[in-house]
Amino acid sequence: MTEAELKAKIEMAFADTPSPGDDFNDISATQWDEGIVDYFRGTTWRGHRVIDLRHHEAALSFFTDKAFRYWLPAFMLAELENPEVADVIAEHIAYKFLPSEHGRPEERLRQFTPTELEAIAAFMDHCSREYHQVAGSDDFAAAANAVRARLAFAKGH
């Protein structure tokens, strides 16, 4: 899949994803939001500058599950548009789909539609190929596998 095809896949998959709302508690899962509510409130997932998303990359940790689902495509597209400026965005996305002491990805993955999951898995595959020589690159493949496992479950039910 080319980068242009991947961008189109992400945009199509998330085209009808519902907005989480504009209230503080719709966007942030913590009271220490580092300005993410002010930045994201009233916006769509489209049209963000890469540098702005890099500046607000902590949102991937502070978002509610609904907000994470809604704005995730903005972060994936930022990584594809300019990986140098996006910096650690791809790694942070992968981390959110891996088991850790701070989170259970099954809870997060459950909210995505099969089409959204397919786009996320394709993004993780892209990152795994692009960054195969980078420390921690196995996280991309592991994240893709976690997403595909949820996708298989969702399609089976």
Side-chain angles (χ1 to χ4, degrees):
M1 176 178 308
T2 68
E3 198 168 289
E5 290 170 332
L6 178 55
K7 287 178 182 179
K9 184 177 189 79
I10 292 167
E11 289 169 354
M12 287 176 55
F14 287 89
D16 296 323
T17 303
S19 171
D22 285 335
D23 290 339
F24 188 96
N25 292 332
D26 293 332
I27 299 170
S28 182
T30 177
Q31 62 184 347
W32 298 283
D33 77 320
E34 294 189 17
I36 67 164
V37 172
D38 290 338
Y39 176 76
F40 287 99
R41 179 184 282 144
T43 70
T44 70
W45 58 262
R46 295 174 178 88
H48 295 272
R49 295 181 326 149
V50 177
I51 192 72
D52 293 334
L53 292 175
R54 173 60 184 99
H55 179 73
H56 294 287
E57 164 278 321
L60 293 167
S61 290
F62 296 151
F63 276 151
T64 62
D65 285 344
K66 288 180 182 180
F68 181 86
R69 176 185 175 205
Y70 183 71
W71 279 291
L72 178 62
F75 287 93
M76 292 190 296
L77 293 169
E79 174 66 33
L80 295 172
E81 181 181 325
N82 192 331
E84 285 85 31
V85 173
D87 193 21
V88 297
I89 286 176
E91 291 91 339
H92 200 151
I93 293 170
Y95 178 75
K96 301 315 284 180
F97 294 115
L98 298 174
S100 75
E101 62 187 73
H102 301 295
R104 295 184 36 193
E106 303 85 26
E107 302 283 327
R108 179 166 286 116
L109 286 166
R110 201 171 298 143
Q111 69 184 326
F112 291 97
T113 67
T115 305
E116 292 168 345
L117 291 168
E118 288 170 357
I120 296 165
F123 174 77
M124 289 291 107
D125 289 340
H126 167 83
C127 291
S128 183
R129 285 189 306 274
E130 289 294 311
Y131 308 122
H132 68 278
Q133 296 180 343
V134 176
S137 63
D138 289 348
D139 288 348
F140 297 119
N145 289 338
V147 172
R148 280 199 181 81
R150 177 63 195 163
L151 179 58
F153 182 81
K155 285 185 173 182
H157 284 76

